[in-house]
Amino acid sequence: SRSYPMKWENFSHDADVGIRGFGKTMEEAFAMAVLALTAVVTNPDIVSPKIKVLIECEEEDRELLFFDWINAVIYEMEMKKMLFAEAKVTIESFQLKGQLWGEIISQEKHTPATDIKGATMTELKVMKSGNQWVAQCIVDV
């Protein structure tokens, strides 16, 4: 099992579900939110980081950047029928470069719980809280 402390969580919100990533940096919080996204569908620990996918987005507002990032990840999940086990994010002057590692979804292995339709502006927040960053939003399932 993975040795890092819990850096993401799901929170319930009506018929939708919230995703929240935590990190020492904003980039780490953005990356951890991908695991929260995967956890809506299946246990991220059983997803193998076999295939690499690259994502780029650009947005001056950090909350809109997070919104675009999560929607881009959901788009890749949908188009490539994939789940992601790991993510790495770098942000320089409003430009986000993301790397995702995952595998093709398998009914047998992952027994997916639900489909994610997209990120919403509800509860959309990217902020520093104490010494850690938090990035969160509600996703439509």
Side-chain angles (χ1 to χ4, degrees):
S1 99
R2 301 200 174 123
S3 59
Y4 50 68
M6 194 71 167
K7 288 188 185 167
W8 55 264
E9 65 186 11
N10 297 130
F11 60 100
S12 61
H13 182 271
D14 304 331
D16 306 322
V17 63
I19 59 163
R20 186 179 283 144
F22 303 99
K24 287 191 220 41
T25 62
M26 189 166 75
E27 286 99 329
E28 196 177 282
F30 276 41
M32 282 294 148
V34 173
L35 294 190
L37 198 58
T38 300
V40 173
V41 182
T42 194
N43 175 358
D45 289 341
I46 65 168
V47 180
S48 306
K50 293 179 192 166
I51 306 164
K52 185 177 180 178
V53 174
L54 302 175
I55 290 178
E56 292 191 20
C57 23
E58 190 172 350
E59 195 65 67
E60 288 191 29
D61 179 280
R62 66 187 182 206
E63 286 172 347
L64 291 179
L65 185 63
F66 181 65
F67 177 77
D68 286 359
W69 160 244
I70 294 301
N71 271 325
V73 174
I74 293 167
Y75 178 80
E76 294 296 335
M77 288 168 81
E78 194 62 31
M79 294 308 292
K80 297 189 166 77
K81 302 282 176 248
M82 282 181 74
L83 290 167
F84 298 111
E86 282 175 35
K88 186 176 187 291
V89 170
T90 56
I91 301 168
E92 273 173 52
S93 58
F94 314 126
Q95 277 194 308
L96 180 153
K97 285 183 166 58
Q99 300 172 72
L100 301 166
W101 291 269
E103 66 178 332
I104 305 295
I105 197 161
S106 148
Q107 292 297 127
E108 298 73 44
K109 181 179 176 183
H110 305 118
T111 54
T114 187
D115 276 334
I116 302 170
K117 298 180 189 79
T120 72
M121 296 279 184
T122 311
E123 302 274 345
L124 178 61
K125 283 191 195 85
V126 176
M127 61 193 178
K128 196 160 191 216
S129 171
N131 61 357
Q132 72 172 356
W133 281 86
V134 181
Q136 69 169 46
C137 70
I138 303 289
V139 292
D140 249 329
V141 291

PDB file of all heavy atoms in Angstrom, residues 30-58:
ATOM      1  N   PHE A  30      -3.695  20.354  -6.847  1.00  0.00           N
ATOM      2  CA  PHE A  30      -4.338  20.064  -8.143  1.00  0.00           C
ATOM      3  C   PHE A  30      -4.133  18.599  -8.520  1.00  0.00           C
ATOM      4  O   PHE A  30      -5.063  17.939  -8.981  1.00  0.00           O
ATOM      5  CB  PHE A  30      -3.738  20.951  -9.246  1.00  0.00           C
ATOM      6  CG  PHE A  30      -4.347  22.333  -9.362  1.00  0.00           C
ATOM      7  CD1 PHE A  30      -4.660  23.084  -8.233  1.00  0.00           C
ATOM      8  CD2 PHE A  30      -4.576  22.893 -10.605  1.00  0.00           C
ATOM      9  CE1 PHE A  30      -5.197  24.365  -8.347  1.00  0.00           C
ATOM     10  CE2 PHE A  30      -5.124  24.180 -10.732  1.00  0.00           C
ATOM     11  CZ  PHE A  30      -5.435  24.910  -9.610  1.00  0.00           C
ATOM     12  N   ALA A  31      -2.919  18.102  -8.308  1.00  0.00           N
ATOM     13  CA  ALA A  31      -2.600  16.713  -8.652  1.00  0.00           C
ATOM     14  C   ALA A  31      -3.369  15.741  -7.761  1.00  0.00           C
ATOM     15  O   ALA A  31      -3.912  14.738  -8.234  1.00  0.00           O
ATOM     16  CB  ALA A  31      -1.093  16.476  -8.536  1.00  0.00           C
ATOM     17  N   MET A  32      -3.437  16.034  -6.464  1.00  0.00           N
ATOM     18  CA  MET A  32      -4.133  15.156  -5.521  1.00  0.00           C
ATOM     19  C   MET A  32      -5.637  15.101  -5.796  1.00  0.00           C
ATOM     20  O   MET A  32      -6.279  14.076  -5.534  1.00  0.00           O
ATOM     21  CB  MET A  32      -3.877  15.613  -4.081  1.00  0.00           C
ATOM     22  CG  MET A  32      -2.525  15.218  -3.564  1.00  0.00           C
ATOM     23  SD  MET A  32      -2.393  13.408  -3.424  1.00  0.00           S
ATOM     24  CE  MET A  32      -0.656  13.196  -3.768  1.00  0.00           C
ATOM     25  N   ALA A  33      -6.190  16.190  -6.324  1.00  0.00           N
ATOM     26  CA  ALA A  33      -7.622  16.212  -6.650  1.00  0.00           C
ATOM     27  C   ALA A  33      -7.962  15.164  -7.711  1.00  0.00           C
ATOM     28  O   ALA A  33      -9.086  14.663  -7.763  1.00  0.00           O
ATOM     29  CB  ALA A  33      -8.039  17.604  -7.111  1.00  0.00           C
ATOM     30  N   VAL A  34      -6.976  14.794  -8.535  1.00  0.00           N
ATOM     31  CA  VAL A  34      -7.191  13.747  -9.550  1.00  0.00           C
ATOM     32  C   VAL A  34      -7.466  12.411  -8.865  1.00  0.00           C
ATOM     33  O   VAL A  34      -8.308  11.635  -9.318  1.00  0.00           O
ATOM     34  CB  VAL A  34      -5.987  13.649 -10.520  1.00  0.00           C
ATOM     35  CG1 VAL A  34      -6.133  12.458 -11.466  1.00  0.00           C
ATOM     36  CG2 VAL A  34      -5.842  14.945 -11.310  1.00  0.00           C
ATOM     37  N   LEU A  35      -6.777  12.146  -7.740  1.00  0.00           N
ATOM     38  CA  LEU A  35      -7.023  10.898  -7.010  1.00  0.00           C
ATOM     39  C   LEU A  35      -8.417  10.906  -6.395  1.00  0.00           C
ATOM     40  O   LEU A  35      -9.096   9.878  -6.359  1.00  0.00           O
ATOM     41  CB  LEU A  35      -5.964  10.671  -5.932  1.00  0.00           C
ATOM     42  CG  LEU A  35      -4.535  10.422  -6.420  1.00  0.00           C
ATOM     43  CD1 LEU A  35      -3.660   9.976  -5.260  1.00  0.00           C
ATOM     44  CD2 LEU A  35      -4.496   9.380  -7.527  1.00  0.00           C
ATOM     45  N   ALA A  36      -8.852  12.076  -5.926  1.00  0.00           N
ATOM     46  CA  ALA A  36     -10.210  12.197  -5.392  1.00  0.00           C
ATOM     47  C   ALA A  36     -11.230  11.937  -6.503  1.00  0.00           C
ATOM     48  O   ALA A  36     -12.269  11.316  -6.283  1.00  0.00           O
ATOM     49  CB  ALA A  36     -10.420  13.578  -4.773  1.00  0.00           C
ATOM     50  N   LEU A  37     -10.898  12.410  -7.711  1.00  0.00           N
ATOM     51  CA  LEU A  37     -11.759  12.188  -8.877  1.00  0.00           C
ATOM     52  C   LEU A  37     -11.845  10.696  -9.196  1.00  0.00           C
ATOM     53  O   LEU A  37     -12.932  10.148  -9.404  1.00  0.00           O
ATOM     54  CB  LEU A  37     -11.163  12.963 -10.057  1.00  0.00           C
ATOM     55  CG  LEU A  37     -12.025  13.268 -11.268  1.00  0.00           C
ATOM     56  CD1 LEU A  37     -13.269  14.058 -10.890  1.00  0.00           C
ATOM     57  CD2 LEU A  37     -11.204  14.050 -12.297  1.00  0.00           C
ATOM     58  N   THR A  38     -10.700  10.021  -9.209  1.00  0.00           N
ATOM     59  CA  THR A  38     -10.664   8.576  -9.453  1.00  0.00           C
ATOM     60  C   THR A  38     -11.475   7.841  -8.394  1.00  0.00           C
ATOM     61  O   THR A  38     -12.203   6.892  -8.696  1.00  0.00           O
ATOM     62  CB  THR A  38      -9.203   8.070  -9.466  1.00  0.00           C
ATOM     63  OG1 THR A  38      -8.495   8.735 -10.508  1.00  0.00           O
ATOM     64  CG2 THR A  38      -9.123   6.566  -9.681  1.00  0.00           C
ATOM     65  N   ALA A  39     -11.381   8.315  -7.137  1.00  0.00           N
ATOM     66  CA  ALA A  39     -12.063   7.649  -6.022  1.00  0.00           C
ATOM     67  C   ALA A  39     -13.587   7.711  -6.125  1.00  0.00           C
ATOM     68  O   ALA A  39     -14.289   6.909  -5.509  1.00  0.00           O
ATOM     69  CB  ALA A  39     -11.602   8.251  -4.694  1.00  0.00           C
ATOM     70  N   VAL A  40     -14.093   8.644  -6.921  1.00  0.00           N
ATOM     71  CA  VAL A  40     -15.545   8.708  -7.154  1.00  0.00           C
ATOM     72  C   VAL A  40     -15.972   7.467  -7.947  1.00  0.00           C
ATOM     73  O   VAL A  40     -17.074   6.952  -7.799  1.00  0.00           O
ATOM     74  CB  VAL A  40     -15.926  10.005  -7.927  1.00  0.00           C
ATOM     75  CG1 VAL A  40     -17.402  10.010  -8.319  1.00  0.00           C
ATOM     76  CG2 VAL A  40     -15.594  11.244  -7.089  1.00  0.00           C
ATOM     77  N   VAL A  41     -15.058   6.961  -8.781  1.00  0.00           N
ATOM     78  CA  VAL A  41     -15.344   5.838  -9.676  1.00  0.00           C
ATOM     79  C   VAL A  41     -14.901   4.497  -9.096  1.00  0.00           C
ATOM     80  O   VAL A  41     -15.610   3.504  -9.171  1.00  0.00           O
ATOM     81  CB  VAL A  41     -14.670   6.069 -11.059  1.00  0.00           C
ATOM     82  CG1 VAL A  41     -14.997   4.935 -12.028  1.00  0.00           C
ATOM     83  CG2 VAL A  41     -15.085   7.418 -11.645  1.00  0.00           C
ATOM     84  N   THR A  42     -13.699   4.486  -8.504  1.00  0.00           N
ATOM     85  CA  THR A  42     -13.141   3.236  -7.969  1.00  0.00           C
ATOM     86  C   THR A  42     -12.045   3.561  -6.951  1.00  0.00           C
ATOM     87  O   THR A  42     -11.669   4.718  -6.787  1.00  0.00           O
ATOM     88  CB  THR A  42     -12.567   2.349  -9.108  1.00  0.00           C
ATOM     89  OG1 THR A  42     -12.332   1.023  -8.613  1.00  0.00           O
ATOM     90  CG2 THR A  42     -11.274   2.902  -9.681  1.00  0.00           C
ATOM     91  N   ASN A  43     -11.507   2.553  -6.306  1.00  0.00           N
ATOM     92  CA  ASN A  43     -10.410   2.741  -5.366  1.00  0.00           C
ATOM     93  C   ASN A  43      -9.131   3.086  -6.145  1.00  0.00           C
ATOM     94  O   ASN A  43      -8.658   2.268  -6.931  1.00  0.00           O
ATOM     95  CB  ASN A  43     -10.225   1.443  -4.563  1.00  0.00           C
ATOM     96  CG  ASN A  43      -9.031   1.490  -3.634  1.00  0.00           C
ATOM     97  OD1 ASN A  43      -8.291   2.466  -3.579  1.00  0.00           O
ATOM     98  ND2 ASN A  43      -8.839   0.407  -2.905  1.00  0.00           N
ATOM     99  N   PRO A  44      -8.547   4.275  -5.927  1.00  0.00           N
ATOM    100  CA  PRO A  44      -7.355   4.664  -6.695  1.00  0.00           C
ATOM    101  C   PRO A  44      -6.169   3.713  -6.503  1.00  0.00           C
ATOM    102  O   PRO A  44      -5.325   3.595  -7.392  1.00  0.00           O
ATOM    103  CB  PRO A  44      -6.992   6.056  -6.149  1.00  0.00           C
ATOM    104  CG  PRO A  44      -8.176   6.523  -5.394  1.00  0.00           C
ATOM    105  CD  PRO A  44      -8.952   5.320  -4.958  1.00  0.00           C
ATOM    106  N   ASP A  45      -6.118   3.011  -5.373  1.00  0.00           N
ATOM    107  CA  ASP A  45      -5.005   2.099  -5.094  1.00  0.00           C
ATOM    108  C   ASP A  45      -4.950   0.908  -6.049  1.00  0.00           C
ATOM    109  O   ASP A  45      -3.903   0.281  -6.198  1.00  0.00           O
ATOM    110  CB  ASP A  45      -5.066   1.583  -3.650  1.00  0.00           C
ATOM    111  CG  ASP A  45      -4.725   2.663  -2.630  1.00  0.00           C
ATOM    112  OD1 ASP A  45      -4.108   3.678  -3.024  1.00  0.00           O
ATOM    113  OD2 ASP A  45      -5.073   2.499  -1.450  1.00  0.00           O
ATOM    114  N   ILE A  46      -6.073   0.569  -6.691  1.00  0.00           N
ATOM    115  CA  ILE A  46      -6.066  -0.580  -7.599  1.00  0.00           C
ATOM    116  C   ILE A  46      -5.852  -0.173  -9.057  1.00  0.00           C
ATOM    117  O   ILE A  46      -5.842  -1.011  -9.945  1.00  0.00           O
ATOM    118  CB  ILE A  46      -7.342  -1.459  -7.463  1.00  0.00           C
ATOM    119  CG1 ILE A  46      -8.598  -0.679  -7.886  1.00  0.00           C
ATOM    120  CG2 ILE A  46      -7.481  -2.026  -6.051  1.00  0.00           C
ATOM    121  CD1 ILE A  46      -9.841  -1.550  -8.062  1.00  0.00           C
ATOM    122  N   VAL A  47      -5.678   1.127  -9.297  1.00  0.00           N
ATOM    123  CA  VAL A  47      -5.431   1.603 -10.662  1.00  0.00           C
ATOM    124  C   VAL A  47      -3.923   1.608 -10.926  1.00  0.00           C
ATOM    125  O   VAL A  47      -3.158   2.151 -10.136  1.00  0.00           O
ATOM    126  CB  VAL A  47      -6.024   3.016 -10.871  1.00  0.00           C
ATOM    127  CG1 VAL A  47      -5.758   3.511 -12.291  1.00  0.00           C
ATOM    128  CG2 VAL A  47      -7.525   3.029 -10.575  1.00  0.00           C
ATOM    129  N   SER A  48      -3.513   0.985 -12.020  1.00  0.00           N
ATOM    130  CA  SER A  48      -2.084   0.911 -12.356  1.00  0.00           C
ATOM    131  C   SER A  48      -1.664   2.084 -13.242  1.00  0.00           C
ATOM    132  O   SER A  48      -2.335   2.384 -14.221  1.00  0.00           O
ATOM    133  CB  SER A  48      -1.777  -0.392 -13.095  1.00  0.00           C
ATOM    134  OG  SER A  48      -2.236  -1.486 -12.337  1.00  0.00           O
ATOM    135  N   PRO A  49      -0.532   2.730 -12.908  1.00  0.00           N
ATOM    136  CA  PRO A  49      -0.061   3.869 -13.697  1.00  0.00           C
ATOM    137  C   PRO A  49       0.715   3.439 -14.948  1.00  0.00           C
ATOM    138  O   PRO A  49       1.910   3.662 -15.071  1.00  0.00           O
ATOM    139  CB  PRO A  49       0.827   4.638 -12.709  1.00  0.00           C
ATOM    140  CG  PRO A  49       1.329   3.599 -11.763  1.00  0.00           C
ATOM    141  CD  PRO A  49       0.285   2.526 -11.693  1.00  0.00           C
ATOM    142  N   LYS A  50       0.012   2.809 -15.912  1.00  0.00           N
ATOM    143  CA  LYS A  50       0.677   2.213 -17.079  1.00  0.00           C
ATOM    144  C   LYS A  50       0.809   3.173 -18.258  1.00  0.00           C
ATOM    145  O   LYS A  50       1.780   3.111 -18.997  1.00  0.00           O
ATOM    146  CB  LYS A  50      -0.132   1.008 -17.577  1.00  0.00           C
ATOM    147  CG  LYS A  50      -0.175  -0.172 -16.645  1.00  0.00           C
ATOM    148  CD  LYS A  50      -1.032  -1.275 -17.262  1.00  0.00           C
ATOM    149  CE  LYS A  50      -1.350  -2.356 -16.248  1.00  0.00           C
ATOM    150  NZ  LYS A  50      -2.427  -3.233 -16.737  1.00  0.00           N
ATOM    151  N   ILE A  51      -0.206   3.990 -18.467  1.00  0.00           N
ATOM    152  CA  ILE A  51      -0.264   4.851 -19.658  1.00  0.00           C
ATOM    153  C   ILE A  51      -0.162   6.308 -19.230  1.00  0.00           C
ATOM    154  O   ILE A  51      -0.813   6.724 -18.268  1.00  0.00           O
ATOM    155  CB  ILE A  51      -1.599   4.635 -20.431  1.00  0.00           C
ATOM    156  CG1 ILE A  51      -1.799   3.153 -20.766  1.00  0.00           C
ATOM    157  CG2 ILE A  51      -1.650   5.498 -21.694  1.00  0.00           C
ATOM    158  CD1 ILE A  51      -3.224   2.788 -21.176  1.00  0.00           C
ATOM    159  N   LYS A  52       0.648   7.068 -19.956  1.00  0.00           N
ATOM    160  CA  LYS A  52       0.829   8.495 -19.632  1.00  0.00           C
ATOM    161  C   LYS A  52      -0.016   9.364 -20.565  1.00  0.00           C
ATOM    162  O   LYS A  52      -0.051   9.133 -21.767  1.00  0.00           O
ATOM    163  CB  LYS A  52       2.309   8.862 -19.773  1.00  0.00           C
ATOM    164  CG  LYS A  52       2.648  10.272 -19.349  1.00  0.00           C
ATOM    165  CD  LYS A  52       4.153  10.475 -19.475  1.00  0.00           C
ATOM    166  CE  LYS A  52       4.566  11.868 -19.075  1.00  0.00           C
ATOM    167  NZ  LYS A  52       6.021  12.042 -19.153  1.00  0.00           N
ATOM    168  N   VAL A  53      -0.683  10.348 -19.969  1.00  0.00           N
ATOM    169  CA  VAL A  53      -1.507  11.298 -20.732  1.00  0.00           C
ATOM    170  C   VAL A  53      -1.073  12.707 -20.340  1.00  0.00           C
ATOM    171  O   VAL A  53      -0.852  12.986 -19.163  1.00  0.00           O
ATOM    172  CB  VAL A  53      -3.020  11.096 -20.408  1.00  0.00           C
ATOM    173  CG1 VAL A  53      -3.863  12.166 -21.084  1.00  0.00           C
ATOM    174  CG2 VAL A  53      -3.487   9.710 -20.823  1.00  0.00           C
ATOM    175  N   LEU A  54      -0.941  13.587 -21.335  1.00  0.00           N
ATOM    176  CA  LEU A  54      -0.552  14.976 -21.066  1.00  0.00           C
ATOM    177  C   LEU A  54      -1.728  15.921 -21.252  1.00  0.00           C
ATOM    178  O   LEU A  54      -2.525  15.749 -22.172  1.00  0.00           O
ATOM    179  CB  LEU A  54       0.581  15.401 -22.015  1.00  0.00           C
ATOM    180  CG  LEU A  54       1.857  14.563 -21.955  1.00  0.00           C
ATOM    181  CD1 LEU A  54       2.845  15.019 -23.015  1.00  0.00           C
ATOM    182  CD2 LEU A  54       2.498  14.632 -20.583  1.00  0.00           C
ATOM    183  N   ILE A  55      -1.831  16.901 -20.367  1.00  0.00           N
ATOM    184  CA  ILE A  55      -2.904  17.900 -20.446  1.00  0.00           C
ATOM    185  C   ILE A  55      -2.286  19.280 -20.270  1.00  0.00           C
ATOM    186  O   ILE A  55      -1.399  19.462 -19.428  1.00  0.00           O
ATOM    187  CB  ILE A  55      -3.959  17.673 -19.330  1.00  0.00           C
ATOM    188  CG1 ILE A  55      -4.759  16.397 -19.585  1.00  0.00           C
ATOM    189  CG2 ILE A  55      -4.913  18.875 -19.229  1.00  0.00           C
ATOM    190  CD1 ILE A  55      -5.775  16.072 -18.516  1.00  0.00           C
ATOM    191  N   GLU A  56      -2.761  20.235 -21.035  1.00  0.00           N
ATOM    192  CA  GLU A  56      -2.345  21.621 -20.831  1.00  0.00           C
ATOM    193  C   GLU A  56      -3.575  22.512 -20.774  1.00  0.00           C
ATOM    194  O   GLU A  56      -4.513  22.313 -21.543  1.00  0.00           O
ATOM    195  CB  GLU A  56      -1.431  22.091 -21.970  1.00  0.00           C
ATOM    196  CG  GLU A  56      -0.086  21.393 -21.958  1.00  0.00           C
ATOM    197  CD  GLU A  56       0.936  22.029 -22.897  1.00  0.00           C
ATOM    198  OE1 GLU A  56       0.755  23.205 -23.270  1.00  0.00           O
ATOM    199  OE2 GLU A  56       1.898  21.328 -23.244  1.00  0.00           O
ATOM    200  N   CYS A  57      -3.595  23.455 -19.858  1.00  0.00           N
ATOM    201  CA  CYS A  57      -4.643  24.469 -19.845  1.00  0.00           C
ATOM    202  C   CYS A  57      -4.062  25.797 -19.384  1.00  0.00           C
ATOM    203  O   CYS A  57      -2.989  25.834 -18.771  1.00  0.00           O
ATOM    204  CB  CYS A  57      -5.877  24.084 -19.037  1.00  0.00           C
ATOM    205  SG  CYS A  57      -5.708  22.856 -17.769  1.00  0.00           S
ATOM    206  N   GLU A  58      -4.771  26.852 -19.685  1.00  0.00           N
ATOM    207  CA  GLU A  58      -4.298  28.190 -19.364  1.00  0.00           C
ATOM    208  C   GLU A  58      -5.474  29.036 -18.885  1.00  0.00           C
ATOM    209  O   GLU A  58      -6.524  29.056 -19.505  1.00  0.00           O
ATOM    210  CB  GLU A  58      -3.686  28.819 -20.624  1.00  0.00           C
ATOM    211  CG  GLU A  58      -2.956  30.115 -20.335  1.00  0.00           C
ATOM    212  CD  GLU A  58      -2.197  30.629 -21.552  1.00  0.00           C
ATOM    213  OE1 GLU A  58      -2.089  29.897 -22.558  1.00  0.00           O
ATOM    214  OE2 GLU A  58      -1.729  31.779 -21.486  1.00  0.00           O
TER     215      GLU A  58
END
